[in-house]
Amino acid sequence: MATAELDPLLLLRQSIASGAAIRPTTSDDAAAGEVPLSQATHLTFSTPSHIALPIDTQTRFASNDTPVDLRSIYFAWLKREVAIPEYNASASQLNDELGGRGQVRKFAFVERLDLITWLEGASEESEYIKPLAGDKDGSTSTAAAALASKGAAAPAIGAKLGRSGKGALDPRLAVIYNSERKMGDRNSVLRGIKPTDFSHVRKSSAIFMSKKPPQASATNLSGNPELATRQKQRRPDPIILLSPSASSLLRMTNIKSFLEAGQFVPSDSLSASSSTSASMLHINRLMKDIDPSRPMRFILVEGPEQFKPEYWSRVVAVFTTGQSWQFKNYKWSNPTELFRHVLGVYVGWRGEQPPESVRSWGHRVLNVGIDRFKESAHANLESSRWRDHEVVEHIWKAVESNMRSKGWRRDQAPTSI
């Protein structure tokens, strides 16, 4: 199969899923050695066979409606674990090394998260990835992504999946299908052995077409709920902001186990579930009063440095320690004004009074307490931390209630808060 016919995104996702080697090289030769990304002219894959694609190949991932090259996609995957400032600094350094031979595109906060989530196989869809050529409804692209995430061969661009829809077309079946006699349809039967001029039909139909009601498309859309649903935009993911303070009980290392599993472990404990270098996390939670049929994905970050103005309408909660410097770069830097728009959450030790600043912010900041952590070799974490689950459910109930009051619904999010 020619390299020009292969989809770079599916090849990359397939290689990541199977753990196969991906090497930047200076040629498409199988014996070419790995070189730094700044010197590479090709990206070589070893699965399903030796395949080398030019490093500047345009992909189906579009940023601001502009296709992104393979070098930028691969670089974003290599830097998936680093914080946004370090990622931007590394991209600038690579651009300096490339000189005039190319440029690495720096992705926005949500674009980078969406790309990494899709590449690692956690999602089958992406609002930034265009469908494969010839795939009008996106079903073939979704099925191809599912196959690639399991290590199956990536289909060619424009190729259809097998008639069962469960994999790439078998070459032996392709030979059989090519030998089939093609039957005519209502379009092909009008094409005879000599050209026929049907221009008079267009003139005769013009009078009827001009009388078509202008609201016809809207009428057809309302009469077909399935079509209307397809044309609706994807609901954006809500955002939860954490405190970057070192004194905070909940950091990026332990927030996932707390909000998802209902168990608190210290942020510096070996039991903490997340990487200390992670700059963003996402967790799933079923919000029954908003969308009882599918879980909502929440994005967790410590600061709004990479926020666009429209991201603030998606912020649903702010975890705080009571230190006002946390809000310096927020849209609303005054805590009183901030918590008129967003739910505040303070988590402290059970039995201890919250800071005076938290009490002064009033009922708009939810104040909860958890038991102190006692790590023991003989203690069962689930049995010793059973009260954490009650606290977590109380927090989620407050978040869900606040989201409903701000306009979050099953198929839409508020445009302002």
Side-chain angles (χ1 to χ4, degrees):
M1 184 180 297
T3 58
E5 298 175 11
L6 293 173
D7 182 69
L9 288 179
L10 291 178
L11 272 175
L12 184 57
R13 177 172 165 140
Q14 176 194 357
S15 298
I16 292 171
S18 61
I22 307 172
R23 297 179 295 111
T25 59
T26 55
S27 71
D28 58 0
D29 190 351
E34 185 173 353
V35 298
L37 197 58
S38 60
Q39 302 175 14
T41 59
H42 290 74
L43 196 62
T44 302
F45 303 88
S46 56
T47 298
S49 60
H50 172 77
I51 300 171
L53 296 181
I55 199 75
D56 55 358
T57 300
Q58 299 299 305
T59 69
R60 293 183 289 118
F61 192 95
S63 176
N64 296 326
D65 295 327
T66 302
V68 180
D69 62 283
L70 183 56
R71 180 193 288 112
S72 300
I73 298 291
Y74 182 61
F75 178 77
W77 171 253
L78 292 178
K79 299 296 181 180
R80 63 191 180 279
E81 297 291 345
V82 304
I84 290 291
E86 184 178 348
Y87 162 73
N88 289 334
S90 299
S92 299
Q93 181 181 353
L94 179 57
N95 285 334
D96 292 340
E97 296 173 356
L98 286 170
R101 299 193 305 274
Q103 288 286 309
V104 169
R105 185 176 185 87
K106 300 176 184 177
F107 293 113
F109 170 76
V110 174
E111 291 176 340
R112 179 170 175 244
L113 174 63
D114 200 82
L115 172 63
I116 294 172
T117 302
W118 188 88
L119 286 176
E120 66 186 5
S123 173
E124 307 300 342
E125 299 177 343
S126 170
E127 61 180 301
Y128 300 101
I129 298 179
K130 296 181 179 180
L132 291 166
D135 181 20
K136 295 182 179 180
D137 60 0
S139 59
T140 301
S141 301
T142 302
L147 286 171
S149 66
K150 297 177 182 178
I157 295 177
K160 297 291 184 181
L161 294 181
R163 294 191 174 187
S164 63
K166 297 182 179 180
L169 188 62
D170 190 293
R172 292 171 295 179
L173 288 178
V175 174
I176 297 174
Y177 292 157
N178 289 335
S179 301
E180 290 181 347
R181 179 181 178 184
K182 299 185 182 300
M183 304 299 293
D185 56 20
R186 64 178 183 178
N187 294 320
S188 60
V189 295
L190 293 176
R191 301 183 181 276
I193 58 176
K194 58 182 180 179
T196 306
D197 184 11
F198 290 99
S199 59
H200 64 283
V201 178
R202 185 186 303 122
K203 295 178 182 178
S204 301
S205 62
I207 186 173
F208 300 102
M209 298 297 290
S210 62
K211 294 181 179 180
K212 185 177 180 180
Q215 296 85 5
S217 59
T219 303
N220 294 337
L221 188 62
S222 61
N224 190 339
E226 182 179 356
L227 182 60
T229 303
R230 289 181 181 176
Q231 293 193 359
K232 290 179 181 177
Q233 294 184 350
R234 174 186 173 187
R235 180 188 63 200
D237 298 329
I239 300 173
I240 296 177
L241 284 167
L242 305 180
S243 171
S245 172
S247 63
S248 176
L249 298 184
L250 297 173
R251 303 295 302 276
M252 294 295 284
T253 54
N254 62 349
I255 187 66
K256 190 175 180 71
S257 62
F258 184 70
L259 291 182
E260 272 196 337
Q263 293 178 353
F264 171 80
V265 294
S267 59
D268 57 352
S269 170
L270 295 177
S271 305
S273 60
S274 303
S275 171
T276 56
S277 61
S279 60
M280 68 187 80
L281 296 171
H282 66 266
I283 61 176
N284 295 315
R285 171 79 180 187
L286 184 64
M287 313 297 275
K288 296 181 180 179
D289 291 340
I290 299 177
D291 188 352
S293 60
R294 54 175 178 162
M296 298 183 71
R297 187 175 72 169
F298 290 79
I299 299 174
L300 280 66
V301 291
E302 283 190 341
E305 288 77 10
Q306 301 298 321
F307 271 27
K308 292 182 179 180
E310 61 267 23
Y311 292 173
W312 282 104
S313 63
R314 296 162 53 183
V315 177
V316 297
V318 174
F319 281 75
T320 181
T321 58
Q323 298 165 297
S324 59
W325 59 262
Q326 173 186 348
F327 317 124
K328 179 180 179 181
N329 296 323
Y330 282 27
K331 178 180 180 180
W332 304 283
S333 56
N334 184 290
T336 305
E337 178 66 18
L338 170 67
F339 295 123
R340 287 198 185 106
H341 300 273
V342 183
L343 173 69
V345 181
Y346 171 79
V347 179
W349 298 123
R350 192 184 304 274
E352 292 187 359
Q353 285 287 335
E356 176 62 30
S357 57
V358 174
R359 296 199 300 271
S360 68
W361 295 335
H363 68 280
R364 298 183 185 276
V365 178
L366 177 65
N367 178 21
V368 296
I370 57 176
D371 295 328
R372 288 186 176 274
F373 187 82
K374 298 178 181 179
E375 192 164 5
S376 172
H378 304 288
N380 186 315
L381 188 60
E382 293 187 4
S383 61
S384 62
R385 304 298 306 182
W386 59 272
R387 298 180 72 176
D388 293 344
H389 185 73
E390 296 179 356
V391 175
V392 171
E393 289 301 315
H394 184 45
I395 294 175
W396 278 120
K397 184 176 181 180
V399 171
E400 184 173 15
S401 175
N402 182 70
M403 290 177 66
R404 282 181 53 83
S405 67
K406 296 299 183 181
W408 286 86
R409 297 294 183 266
R410 182 176 182 274
D411 53 359
Q412 65 182 15
T415 56
S416 62
I417 56 174

